[in-house]
Amino acid sequence: MSKITSIADVRRHFRNNQEPIYFISATNFNLLGIGDWVSNFRHINYIDCFEGQQRNVFVPKEKFPRDFEGIEDINNYLLEHKEVIDFLQSRSTGDKAGTAAFLMFDEHTEEICKQLGLKIAFPPATLRQRMDNKIETVRIGNKAGVPSVPNVLAKVGSYQELCEVSKELGSDLVVQTAFGDSGHTTFFIANEEDYYKHAEEIEAEPEVKIMKRINCRGSAIEACATRCGTVVGPLMTELVGFKTLTPYKGGWCGNEMFSGAFTEEVRDKARDYTFQFGEALREEGYRGYFELDFLIDMDTDDVYLGELNPRVTGASSLTNVAAFAHSDIPLFLFHLLEFSDLDFDLDIDDINERWAHPESVDSWSQLVIKHTDESVDLLTQAPKTGVWRMSDDGSINYDHYSYHPHAAENEQEAFFMRISGAGDFRYEGADLGILITRGRLMDDDFNLNERAKAWIEAIRGEYAGQALQDPVVEGVAVSHAIGGGNFKIL
Amino acid sequence: MSAGRAPGIELDKALTFRTVHEEQAGPKWQSLFDYHWPAYEPWYLSEGERERPSYLECFNALRHYMPELLDTYRTLCALNGGGDLASRLLSLYRPPPYITGCSQAVLARPSSTVLARNYDYPPELCEGTILYTRWNQRRVIAMSDCLWGVLDGMNDSGLAVSLAFGGRKVVGDGFGAPIILRYILEFCDTVPEAAAVLERVPTHMAYNITVTDASGRYVTAMIAPDRRANIRRVAVATNHQKKIEWYAHALASETLIRERQLSILVDDDATTNERLISAFSAPPLFRHDYQRGLGTVYTSVYYPKEGLVEFRWPGRVLDLSFDKFREEQIIVRYGSRGLYS
């Protein structure tokens, strides 16, 4: 194909795409609906959220309960599985099996993909690992002119040392280690007692990030660094730590996208920073999809860099469904384009300007619903994936099957993607499912609104479980279900 | 089993031996797979599924060490439905560890060569399938294990092989010996060729493999995951490698006594084929220790020059050759004596 110079060219290219493209992950949640834009796109997943109804989702039939250590581990398991290998080979041309995208992968994944003839549409795992380091993120940000919350990077050996190096930050501190997600490795320290709760983890690190604690709101923005420049998506709010959704304090439990969540000034600043950061990433050798968390100071409206996720994320499901994605192309297609062999020259400024327009951002929200009780049971009933409709009395009914969030047409409807199903164990922290709907789920004070609470309650009501009688069985069940440690599968 | 005996002391186990002739793997092999799989699956999962290597690792190991076997492997995987777990088991790459007994000896005389062996093992864990195949343009008659692996067998070039557990606890990275024996029978003609395979292909446990061929050559290879194969012109093997390492097993299996008996026999110029073979049907070579899973399940005898094979039980001999191979079933009961019925 000759050089790609317009969005129409991109669309046509992916509609006519022949080479298989795969998203390999625990579920297909992050890239819901991308198959509508890309021919020969398939999801290879461990969990079948669609009970076999979704043609472009491949889940191996023969599976065993395993203690997975992370998403990389699930992906490696999938790629070494005979049914997956047979599936890939049945769709290969010669020794070329196509292109694979992941949420997470490691060097072992890279080795397997090489053998299977799969190209990975991401920079190498070692580079991603380096970019994922929170300390490194601060440095890149500083270089790119994207400020972090006032901070000090230092090795800490005692509370006295912590106080000494962070004198200028005051006594109310937030300490973060280089790696970790969803609030698991962020510690709030206002006194010596707080410090000793986390001293072991802090002192084990060669360097930690020590920040001044500010009164902030979390936000997320996704972007894609391409050779023509960085394409920037909309600024989203983050739902964090709601007890009705997650048992983890500070744990991510959803996003909201609507144009008025922050002032225009804040939105513009975040977008500019994201663009600058994307350009800095390119200089580091990183390219493609990434996400930035910004901390927005509610007192000053300052916008600070939070963290970088050099990958697609749990927020990608929203970024890729909004109006701007459909008026042009979903952000993920820029990523595929960047990793294709195509020659392209697109006017990124033009796209960014269009996407910055409030009318480009229609309002969407998603909730990640986890099991929040300490109880463990075996699920006997679970709500099906598809569109659900809520009546005036707050009860919900299954309306019809769909795989796409867009199928929810109004605020009375929601798209639900079931993750835990009948036969799965329900334990504290287990992902039950994800609800995506039009409109807002939080109020202006960033609390869940009544509609959100009604949906959460109604969805939970669709689950039924059977208690486990034998404590030994329960122990085994829990260790299988939870595995080596809780990790996000999204 | 006579009435009045304390239960658990006298055993009454029965095993059906089947001769199966199917030149290209097809419905007969598939039905053997279907019949045995319910027993193999829990065994393969006994240490947890995660302990077993992935399909890709299994495939890579086969491709690296026994690439000529891949076509057959693929055919068999397809016949079993192409499942992940069954395909991993069939590779026999790092299966769960298991132990056996066994005695084996080669008697090489200018006029004839014979390889005879006793297979000492729990009868309920023996498949009892004597398989006649022609998978790689080579005819093979073998006692099957793990669905296509070989406990002992011979090909139409006259190469005969037999395995005995090596009496050591070490477990490592490699293949179950039955598939190595299958590989040898499918792709080797002579003892030197077989020796090269035994030197090269890693085993996951200690085994003593005895090989002989139509020109009267023989070797015993002591293979193990932790040291280089020791391959020597030794005609006799039981269940130890050089020194005794696992005393309990050595005592229970009487490996030294059996080795000595066999060595005396093969070193004696007066020993005839008949004398050697009959020794296998009496103690100390024939063992009644079914209680502990170390009783003799069958005796097999290979005549490489003549292309003849015998499977023997007290009172019953099954004569087979590449030209004369009738499909039949023999039920053997294991009481205090291995009795044919």
Side-chain angles (χ1 to χ4, degrees), chain A residues 172-188:
Chain A
D172 210 357
L173 302 170
V174 181
V175 177
Q176 277 189 323
T177 56
F179 298 101
D181 55 43
S182 261
H184 284 276
T185 53
T186 300
F187 313 115
F188 298 93

Side-chain angles (χ1 to χ4, degrees), chain B residues 18 20-38 40 72 74-83 86 90 127 129 131-133 135 144 146-148 327:
Chain B
R18 289 182 182 79
V20 176
H21 186 182
E22 190 179 46
E23 299 218 336
Q24 297 309 315
K28 288 182 188 175
W29 186 85
Q30 195 174 349
S31 72
L32 285 172
F33 175 89
D34 293 341
Y35 179 75
H36 290 296
W37 176 247
Y40 274 116
T72 309
R74 284 201 191 94
T75 303
L76 299 182
C77 288
L79 279 174
N80 74 42
L90 284 182
E127 280 174 38
T129 309
L131 203 55
Y132 180 163
T133 54
W135 289 340
S144 235
C146 293
L147 302 154
W148 67 311
E327 291 197 328

Side-chain angles (χ1 to χ4, degrees), chain A residues 62 64 66-68 73 77 80-82 85-86 112 115-116, chain B residues 45 49-50 54-56 60 63 77 82-85 87-88:
Chain A
E62 198 183 295
F64 294 89
R66 264 193 175 221
D67 303 340
F68 288 112
D73 202 21
Y77 170 78
E80 295 195 308
H81 195 288
K82 183 164 189 297
I85 293 172
D86 289 347
I112 305 170
Q115 179 182 348
L116 298 178
Chain B
L45 294 172
E49 182 262 345
R50 213 191 163 122
S54 69
Y55 167 74
L56 190 63
N60 285 342
R63 190 179 59 164
C77 288
D84 181 70
L85 195 72
S87 302
R88 287 154 73 186

Side-chain angles (χ1 to χ4, degrees), chain A residues 20-224:
Chain A
I21 299 178
Y22 300 99
F23 178 59
I24 302 170
S25 200
T27 75
N28 69 340
F29 160 64
N30 311 74
L31 294 180
L32 275 171
I34 290 297
D36 295 352
W37 298 84
V38 183
S39 293
N40 279 308
F41 187 87
R42 294 287 187 276
H43 297 274
I44 296 177
N45 300 144
Y46 184 71
I47 301 168
D48 186 357
C49 306
F50 303 88
E51 275 138 42
Q53 291 182 87
Q54 192 47 36
R55 189 180 176 271
N56 71 357
V57 171
F58 179 88
V59 177
K61 289 194 281 289
E62 198 183 295
K63 285 182 298 184
F64 294 89
R66 264 193 175 221
D67 303 340
F68 288 112
E69 280 153 24
I71 306 175
E72 298 90 332
D73 202 21
I74 295 183
N75 290 339
N76 293 342
Y77 170 78
L78 287 170
L79 282 167
E80 295 195 308
H81 195 288
K82 183 164 189 297
E83 289 174 45
V84 174
I85 293 172
D86 289 347
F87 177 68
L88 292 171
Q89 284 174 349
S90 73
R91 297 164 50 81
S92 313
T93 316
D95 54 4
K96 289 200 175 93
T99 296
F102 300 96
L103 186 57
M104 298 281 194
F105 65 93
D106 57 21
E107 280 149 314
H108 185 54
T109 322
E110 291 176 328
E111 272 170 44
I112 305 170
C113 285
K114 195 173 167 201
Q115 179 182 348
L116 298 178
L118 277 173
K119 281 188 299 185
I120 297 180
F122 268 105
T126 46
L127 177 65
R128 270 163 49 100
Q129 175 82 355
R130 183 162 74 77
M131 295 294 108
D132 206 17
N133 179 328
K134 291 192 179 73
I135 313 287
E136 192 71 20
T137 306
V138 173
R139 296 202 171 110
I140 298 170
N142 290 345
K143 226 184 337 183
V146 181
S148 295
V149 176
N151 67 83
V152 177
L153 307 176
K155 160 122 190 96
V156 169
S158 67
Y159 183 63
Q160 283 67 33
E161 265 180 58
L162 177 70
C163 294
E164 230 159 84
V165 294
S166 63
K167 234 182 285 169
E168 74 223 53
L169 302 174
S171 59
D172 210 357
L173 302 170
V174 181
V175 177
Q176 277 189 323
T177 56
F179 298 101
D181 55 43
S182 261
H184 284 276
T185 53
T186 300
F187 313 115
F188 298 93
I189 296 172
N191 52 48
E192 197 161 355
E193 199 182 321
D194 291 342
Y195 177 81
Y196 286 116
K197 269 187 244 164
H198 311 291
E200 208 177 322
E201 283 146 296
I202 293 170
E203 289 169 20
E205 295 288 318
E207 199 174 28
V208 293
K209 179 180 172 189
I210 307 156
M211 289 172 282
K212 176 184 164 188
R213 185 165 180 177
I214 55 169
N215 173 25
C216 65
R217 296 271 184 250
S219 68
I221 192 164
E222 296 195 312
C224 182

